[in-house]
Each structure stands twice: as structure tokens, then as C-alpha cells.
Amino acid sequence: MGMGNPALLACSEPWARNTERERREMFRIEKREDLTPEIHLFEIAAPEVARKAQAGQFVIVRADETGERIPLTIADWDRDKGTITVVFMEVGKTTRKLATLQQGEYLQNFAGPLGVPTHIEKYGTVVCVAGGFAIATIVPIARAMREAGNKVVSIMGFRSKELVFWEERLRGVSDELIVMTDDGTYGRKGLVTEPLKELLEGDEKVERVIAIGPTVMMKFSSLTTKPFGVKTIVSLNPIMVDGTGMCGCCRVSIGDVTKFTCVDGPDFDGHLVDWDELMARQRTFCDEEKRSLELWQHSSGRT
Amino acid sequence: MAELDLNRVPMPKQEPGARAKNFNEVALGYSQEQAIAEATRCIQCKKRPCIEGCPVGVDIPEFIQALRDSDIAEAARVLKSKNALPAICGRVCPQESQCEASCTLAKKNAPIAIGRLERYVADWELNHSSGDKPDIEIAPATGKRVAVVGTGPAGLTAAAELAKMGHSVTMYEALHVAGGVLMYGIPEFRLPKDIVQAEVNYVRSLGVEVKLDAVMGKMTTVDELLEEGYDAVFLGTGAGLPMFLNVPGENLKGIYSANEFLTRTNLMKAYLFPEYDTPIKLGKTVAVIGGGNVAMDAARCALRLGAPKVYIVYRRSREEMPARLEEVENAEEEGVEFKLLTNPVRFIGNDEHWVTAMECVVMELGEPDESGRRRPVPQPGSEYQMDVDTVVVALGTTPNPLVPTTTTGLETSKRGTVVADPDTGKTTKPGVWAGGDVVTGSATVISAMGAGKAAAASIDEYLKGT
């Protein structure tokens, strides 16, 4: 890169030292757990974030000095230990970089808790639907909903048996749990929308649905509940940069208004989300992400 | 008396053709000979009007005299005693409307190039200082603790001043690096990031602690800072919320806020993608909407990122453009084209939700509005389509509500700015001061620094009484 003034390099040393020092005191990976070969759990030392974290919020993470800022949902927290638990799936370069970090190593940056916490209230019967690694996100929400006096029925869906994780953890915070796999290798065969529809058609009145997972799953969960008029909250995952309301990259159309997911969400009424726009925007940097990942895999000898 | 020398020493610059293809600094700075030659033009007049023209009151004739005597260390000392961030001010201050406008030689159209001299002295100092020990005297510790929220120009100045007064200062920054708009907004080619970090390090060297990744209003709140024992809080959180046009199609892909476009490019270094992980994607025809410095920065970044065609689309005429003349000229020299009296009313996209065109309306200027500039009025039936595949919306910013909405007793205006006394920065909440863009809405680096400095003096006064 071009340096405006090479002699100033001497001045940047204390900066680097300072960053190093600050970093070494925080954001240590206290625990790493591989939930599946591609889904990992980090328990990160971040006492000030842990003090405030609530269900439904997220953190912005950077893996290293050249890394991008990505949002990760908070899966759990321990205010006494001062840790935040995040769960992520290896998708692109950043999540793959993160996956190379081991227990005892550090994240470059970790900021939060961001976003508006999920609204928790006693509704009656609440159905929590989660797909894939979002199981980790729904657990604290289901727990909070149950603590608020709701009957919680959870549905968890995976592509296949080997990807199932946290079944017991979600069962522990739910009154009922339905496990689905796309290929039928575990639990019931089919998509999460099938038992969701059955519950809505059943005798018990469902007061609220929380659906979190891949965007397409949230879209179809919302479409499933719409004819029944049951309010459905989804947790959106658009591309973000700062995560504090500064850039507007995460803007989404909710009904007729534009909202910033990072500060107005991430929870929104699924019946009002412009899903096609969201999915299109999520693909904005597809080509760049692919190129970046391939180069990194090639240069680091990873496949 | 010696004859007046009315030949300002020009500053060497990269040639437009070359510089439009790189992110290196455009203005290259004076050599020592050039700096001393320009300093020698100063007539050291009795009235010293330039000092009045400086929002932080730098003793300009004195530093110029020291420079002329080749005592650059002394020049730096004089400069830094009033201005904590001279290498930044020397680059981004609108001197033509401040100190240089007040210069006695301005009457002869040849004001001393004070900004260029400031930059020369500041850069010399950065290259010659030991880096650890500041040459500035720091008052004995008072035992008082001050929290400064935001590490942009207002916050850095307030923090430096308060530290020099002997107070213990902690700064809170939401992003992963200190500097605020100096890091995420102003591009490398206008303000190198190493320079910003060198100035931040200087503030650190005064004993200021900088907490990064600390999102005020989320990780903690101003109320909690006061409960936890801070004696005073200064809010320098800037104006970070981007404004959009609120017209149909604005959420299409390829349409960025200037904040997003510049943050990706500058803070996240997307111009070095894929060495740096954050991408930016541009098409062949870029339209930057707006006529301020941020619009010029975005347009010039777009050229450097490889866009073959870059337009500035502005609804008024050139005369009303809020950007510095120098920045407009730089943009034009580099090949940015101006579509004036033009306003987008709708964006049109393709099947992939990517923007392909914008419908514009031609404007004409009517009577002056409350800003004193002639109001642009749409001409009915003048709509036409302009093919574009990238749009940057640079209409200005308003304060981020994260801090104001989580602080009790803090009054804000309809525009979302924090209400503060213009002279002292005192807010409606006891123990809390504010200054810079969070109070004024988006303005200049130096006015933010002036506000930071005034607030520091008021905070010091208050702390003496506690």
C-alpha cells in the first residue's frame, strides 16, 4: 500500500503496541467446541458485553487486523464469568478464518451487545422455530419466553442427522420439542414449516411465533403463519459493516419503511419484511466473497 | 522596509492523471526550503488578525517566526500548545475561510499559506519526536476522572486539553480504531491514516486511555459512567447517521450511503481487497448525489477504485455547493463530471435488484431559503433517465441517536442534535458536555476541535469547584 509519509512508521509503533495490549486483556477464546464439523462455539471473555447482553442481541466481530466486521448473534452469556457465547457456521473467508482460532487465542475485535433485544412478554403459547446453526440463537429466547410464563413449543430443523446439535439444550428450555431433518435421517422428515402449520391448525391457540434461521426458512415460516394471523418475529441477518447505525448497509424494507437492521432490529415482523429485497441484498458481494475465499484457501493451503 | 512578496509558494501535488489511480496523498507538502520561503513572506503585522480567524486560537505569527528562524522544534511547540492535532488541521481545515481569510496579505490576494506551513511543521515534529514523551507540560494530577465519548476531532481535542490540565481521561470508541470521521470518512489521499494514528498516539502519550470496541448506549451508558465515578462526561459522538433521499428504489443493490461507501473504502481498506477482507463493488457509471466535501471524497474514491465514469449530481448550482473550492477543483481535475441542477426522484433496477438507472428532474433556482442559498425548484415535465450502475448518496448526516436516547435528562433538538451552550458545551444534564457535529450537525473538523477545546475549559472550571 502507498504510505503518505514513510518516516511516520516509527510513530505507528506505540499504536500497534497499545492495540496489542488492549487486545490481550480481552476477547480471549475461553472455550471452543465443535458442534458439528462446520459449526463452532466460542466462549469469549468480554465482561462488559456479558454484563448487558440480552436474548436476541448480536456482537460485531473481527478475526484479525485485515478482517471484515461481521455480526454474530449472542447464543448465551455468563455475567459472573464475564463471557459471551457465539455459534457460527463456516461459510466464507471470515467464518473460516475464525474457525482456525483455538481455545486460548484471541479475537481482534468484539463489540456489543448490539441491536434491540427480543421483546419478551407473557403471550400464552409461543412457537420457537429454528433452522441450522440458529438453534444457538433461539435457545436464550425460548428460555426467556418460558421464564416469562409462556408455554414454549420449539421446532428445530437441520439438513441431516450429522448436523444436529443442542437438541437437549433446546428441549431443556421448551415444553415440547419437534426435531426435523430434510432427509429424514433423524427426527421427522421434512421442513420446519410442516409442524408449524400443524400447530397453527391445532386446537391450542398459538399467540406468537419466533422464527430464526436461514433467510429462506424465515420467509417460508412467515408465509406459513400469515394466513393464521399469528404475529411472527424473525431475526434478520443482512450484510453489516459498523453495526451501530452508521452505514445503512443493513437496510431492509419493513412494510413501507426502510429500517436499519443493526439498530432498529434485528427482530422484525416477518409478515412485513420484503424478503426478495433482503435476499438480493445478501448476495451483493457474492462474486467478491467467492474470490476472496478461494485466494485465501489457496494461499493458506486450506481446501 | 522590505518589499511585499505576493507570490505564495505553491504546494507540490501529484499530477491529476496519476493521482486519480492511487490512494496516496494528493498534496505532497512543502520542502524545508519552500516552507521557510513561504514563512518569510509573513510581514509579522501588529494586528495579528489570523489568530482571530483560528477556531482554536493558534499563535500563528509566532510559529511562523520560529519557522522562519529555522527553529522548527519551537514552531511545533507553539503550534501544539494550542492545537493538539496540527498535522490533521494542516490538511483538512478550510483555511481559505478562516486564518488565511483574515491574513493582512489576503487584501492583496496573497495570504500566507498558513495551512501548508502548519502541515510542514506538524509533519516535521511527527518525524522528529521521540514518540513517547510529549514536550508539552502536563499539570499535576487532579484526581478527577473525565470520560470522553467518541474519538473524532472534538473528542481528541477535549481529551488532550483535559489531560494537559491534569485530569484522568478515558475515551470510548465504538469502532475498532480511534479517530472517528478522520478514519472512516476522510480518504487516505486527503488525510493519511498513519497521520491520524500518530496524532491519536500523541493524545495517548498525554496519559489518555482509549477504549476501543466500546459502544456507548449499548455496552454502557452515560448515566452509568457518572454513577461509576466519572466526574464529568464529554460527548463528541459526531453526526454518524446517514440521510437518504427517501425515493423509490433506494434499497437497490449498488446504492450506498456515503458513510457505507467511505467506511468500506477508508476504514476497512476495501481499496486493498482482497488483501483486506472487506469488499466494495462498483459498476462503470457512478453517480454521487450531493455537493459537499463528502460527495467530493466519495467521487474521488470512486475514480481511484477504477470507475470509468463518475458524476456529481447536485440539485443546486456550482455556486451553492458547500464543498471547499479546492476539493471541487481537485475532483474536476481528476475527471469527475458535474451534473448540476439535477435531482434524482426514483431509482430503477434489473431482475437482480441492481440499480441500472435513475430518473432525474431538472431544477431551477428560486428565492433564497432559510440557509440563504437559492432554493432549488423542480421543473415540471423535465424528468429524464440517466443510466447509472452505482450510486452514492452523500446528502449529509445527523447525530446517531444511540447516546442521546440512552442518556436521561439530555435535551435534543428536532434535528436530533444535542442541545448545548455554544460557548461552553454544557448540556441540559449536569456533569455532561457536548461538542462538534453532535451539537451542530455535520460541520468541519476544526469547528469540532474548537468546541472540544471550549468544553474542556468549561469542564476544568467545573471540576475545580467540585
Side-chain angles (χ1 to χ4, degrees):
Chain A
M1 84 179 257
M3 296 297 252
N5 195 339
L8 287 167
L9 272 176
C11 297
S12 62
E13 272 173 29
W15 168 35
R17 204 168 58 222
N18 231 333
T19 314
E20 189 76 359
R21 182 176 56 75
E22 282 163 16
R23 188 153 67 92
R24 288 307 170 219
E25 287 169 8
M26 291 192 288
F27 318 148
R28 185 175 186 267
I29 302 168
E30 300 294 346
K31 183 177 140 193
R32 173 189 165 129
E33 199 183 319
D34 298 326
L35 301 174
T36 76
E38 292 200 326
I39 298 178
H40 313 283
L41 174 150
F42 283 173
E43 206 177 297
I44 310 286
E48 289 170 299
V49 184
R51 207 161 59 99
K52 285 292 180 72
Q54 291 181 65
Q57 290 187 295
F58 66 93
V59 288
I60 289 272
V61 169
R62 225 163 54 113
D64 55 34
E65 197 51 64
T66 56
E68 60 183 339
R69 295 169 65 95
I70 63 155
L72 293 177
T73 318
I74 295 173
D76 209 348
W77 57 87
D78 186 324
R79 302 203 209 280
D80 297 329
K81 274 163 70 186
T83 57
I84 292 280
T85 301
V86 291
V87 172
F88 63 94
M89 184 163 69
E90 291 184 48
V91 184
K93 181 176 171 185
T94 299
T95 43
R96 276 166 211 257
K97 262 189 186 176
L98 284 173
T100 65
L101 297 174
Q102 301 302 321
Q103 186 170 317
E105 293 191 279
Y106 295 79
L107 296 183
Q108 183 75 26
N109 299 99
F110 193 85
L114 301 170
V116 181
T118 298
H119 182 73
I120 305 293
E121 187 185 315
K122 185 174 174 183
Y123 297 105
T125 297
V126 174
V127 177
C128 291
V129 192
F133 76 100
I135 305 306
T137 309
I138 209 115
V139 165
I141 295 170
R143 184 173 64 203
M145 282 295 184
R146 204 174 184 209
E147 280 168 5
N150 292 291
K151 176 180 177 185
V152 175
V153 180
S154 296
I155 304 168
M156 62 198 287
F158 299 92
R159 281 201 313 276
S160 193
K161 184 185 178 181
E162 67 272 16
L163 300 172
V164 176
F165 71 94
W166 276 22
E167 180 185 348
E168 289 316 309
R169 208 151 162 171
L170 185 55
R171 194 185 304 281
V173 295
S174 310
D175 293 276
E176 275 174 48
L177 176 70
I178 301 161
V179 184
M180 306 291 294
T181 52
D182 296 0
D183 61 3
T185 48
Y186 190 70
R188 238 177 94 178
K189 181 176 170 155
L191 301 171
V192 290
T193 44
E194 292 167 25
L196 175 61
K197 185 156 182 264
E198 288 160 17
L199 286 168
L200 293 163
E201 286 166 344
D203 298 335
E204 199 172 338
K205 184 154 170 46
V206 174
E207 297 291 346
R208 182 158 288 225
V209 172
I210 316 279
I212 308 181
T215 305
V216 67
M217 179 227 118
M218 293 193 283
K219 174 182 172 176
F220 283 100
S221 296
S222 300
L223 289 175
T224 302
T225 60
K226 198 164 184 185
F228 296 92
V230 176
K231 183 136 175 176
T232 300
I233 301 300
V234 294
S235 176
L236 303 185
N237 50 354
I239 302 171
M240 289 188 188
V241 186
D242 66 287
T244 64
M246 204 179 90
C247 77
C249 178
C250 66
R251 63 194 191 275
V252 288
S253 296
I254 306 295
D256 292 335
V257 282
T258 293
K259 297 277 187 189
F260 287 8
T261 304
C262 65
V263 287
D264 302 319
D267 287 4
F268 292 104
D269 182 339
H271 297 153
L272 299 178
V273 173
D274 183 335
W275 294 102
D276 294 343
E277 177 189 281
L278 172 63
M279 285 190 267
R281 289 186 66 84
Q282 284 172 328
R283 288 190 300 268
T284 303
F285 300 104
C286 248
D287 299 343
E288 288 74 14
E289 284 160 6
K290 193 160 165 261
R291 187 174 144 226
S292 178
L293 176 62
E294 282 168 1
L295 272 168
W296 179 73
Q297 286 175 324
H298 183 73
S299 68
S300 63
R302 293 181 175 87
T303 50
Chain B
M1 192 182 144
E3 207 174 307
L4 283 182
D5 178 355
L6 297 180
N7 297 309
R8 266 162 79 99
V9 177
M11 168 120 82
K13 275 189 193 180
Q14 279 196 71
E15 288 305 320
R19 74 185 192 230
K21 293 185 178 66
N22 69 58
F23 272 85
N24 298 340
E25 198 169 10
V26 168
L28 301 171
Y30 278 159
S31 65
Q32 182 164 344
E33 293 69 36
Q34 288 168 325
I36 291 177
E38 181 63 17
T40 307
R41 289 207 310 118
C42 174
I43 57 170
Q44 294 287 329
C45 59
K46 287 260 156 51
K47 280 174 68 185
R48 299 151 61 99
C50 51
I51 302 178
E52 291 282 304
C54 174
V56 295
V58 168
D59 195 339
I60 294 163
E62 199 179 322
F63 101 75
I64 291 183
Q65 184 61 50
L67 177 56
R68 186 173 176 166
D69 297 340
S70 299
D71 188 353
I72 308 169
E74 171 62 9
R77 196 196 58 75
V78 173
L79 200 50
K80 279 217 151 164
S81 70
K82 290 285 168 63
N83 182 346
L85 316 170
I88 294 169
C89 289
R91 289 174 166 81
V92 301
C93 264
Q95 291 98 8
E96 68 279 2
S97 60
Q98 299 180 342
C99 54
E100 293 179 16
S102 324
C103 175
T104 301
L105 293 185
K107 292 178 200 116
K108 307 264 183 203
N109 281 324
I112 301 299
I114 300 167
R116 296 172 187 172
L117 295 179
E118 177 181 36
R119 170 182 164 156
Y120 175 77
V121 171
D123 284 1
W124 182 93
E125 209 257 346
L126 285 177
N127 287 323
H128 288 79
S129 72
S130 61
D132 282 342
K133 286 255 165 57
D135 304 331
I136 302 291
E137 215 177 298
I138 296 176
T142 61
K144 303 289 183 192
R145 292 171 67 210
V146 185
V148 171
V149 186
T151 62
L156 285 171
T157 306
E161 293 296 320
L162 289 161
K164 284 195 271 181
M165 293 160 177
H167 307 303
S168 163
V169 183
T170 306
M171 301 190 81
Y172 289 83
E173 168 57 50
L175 292 172
H176 56 267
V177 54
V181 72
L182 306 169
M183 289 302 286
Y184 75 75
I186 304 176
E188 176 79 16
F189 56 83
R190 212 149 69 76
L191 180 63
K193 301 309 145 208
D194 286 342
I195 299 275
V196 179
Q197 289 309 315
E199 301 276 49
V200 170
N201 284 335
Y202 165 73
V203 176
R204 280 192 169 113
S205 76
L206 299 170
V208 172
E209 190 199 348
V210 182
K211 281 169 86 94
L212 303 173
D213 298 308
V215 184
M216 193 58 60
K218 286 290 177 186
M219 189 186 86
T220 184
T221 64
V222 172
D223 289 19
E224 285 171 336
L225 293 179
L226 291 168
E227 281 162 26
E228 284 158 17
Y230 280 103
D231 298 291
V233 177
F234 174 77
L235 302 178
T237 47
L241 206 65
M243 293 202 270
F244 284 93
L245 288 152
N246 296 316
V247 299
E250 206 168 13
N251 293 347
L252 288 166
K253 292 192 280 183
I255 303 180
Y256 302 92
S257 74
N259 267 3
E260 180 185 355
F261 188 76
L262 293 173
T263 298
R264 284 183 179 275
T265 310
N266 302 319
L267 179 74
M268 306 312 294
K269 301 203 187 299
Y271 64 94
L272 298 173
F273 179 86
E275 188 194 325
Y276 280 73
D277 296 348
T278 306
I280 194 151
K281 193 168 186 159
L282 267 75
K284 293 194 157 45
T285 310
V286 180
V288 178
I289 318 295
N293 288 321
V294 172
M296 301 305 142
D297 283 347
R300 297 171 71 196
C301 279
L303 282 177
R304 285 159 173 79
L305 290 164
K309 199 93 186 145
V310 180
Y311 293 103
I312 287 274
V313 176
Y314 182 54
R315 63 194 184 126
R316 304 186 202 236
S317 74
R318 187 176 286 246
E319 258 175 57
E320 290 84 20
M321 274 198 178
R324 287 179 74 183
L325 183 63
E326 186 186 332
E327 300 307 329
V328 177
E329 284 171 1
N330 277 332
E332 199 156 40
E333 273 176 23
E334 289 167 13
V336 174
E337 288 178 43
F338 289 75
K339 287 223 176 265
L340 302 168
L341 293 165
T342 303
N343 203 31
V345 290
R346 164 171 93 94
F347 296 100
I348 298 142
N350 61 17
D351 293 347
E352 289 168 358
H353 283 256
W354 196 277
V355 65
T356 53
M358 59 183 195
E359 188 176 300
C360 297
V361 63
V362 177
M363 313 292 277
E364 56 189 2
L365 293 178
E367 294 301 306
D369 61 13
E370 59 275 17
S371 76
R373 296 175 298 176
R374 293 178 63 194
R375 185 192 301 275
V377 185
Q379 279 185 284
S382 65
E383 290 82 2
Y384 70 100
Q385 274 194 17
M386 182 177 166
D387 289 342
V388 294
D389 50 14
T390 308
V391 176
V392 181
V393 181
L395 296 176
T397 52
T398 56
N400 191 319
L402 227 44
V403 172
T405 54
T406 54
T407 307
T408 58
L410 191 71
E411 198 183 313
T412 52
S413 74
K414 270 184 285 184
R415 296 182 304 144
T417 54
V418 171
V419 175
D421 183 310
D423 296 325
T424 63
K426 245 189 180 139
T427 69
T428 52
K429 187 179 175 69
V432 179
W433 280 255
D437 285 2
V438 72
V439 172
T440 58
S442 36
T444 63
V445 169
I446 189 71
S447 64
M449 289 177 59
K453 192 167 181 160
S458 174
I459 291 169
D460 184 52
E461 189 80 6
Y462 165 81
L463 292 177
K464 278 178 185 153
T466 57

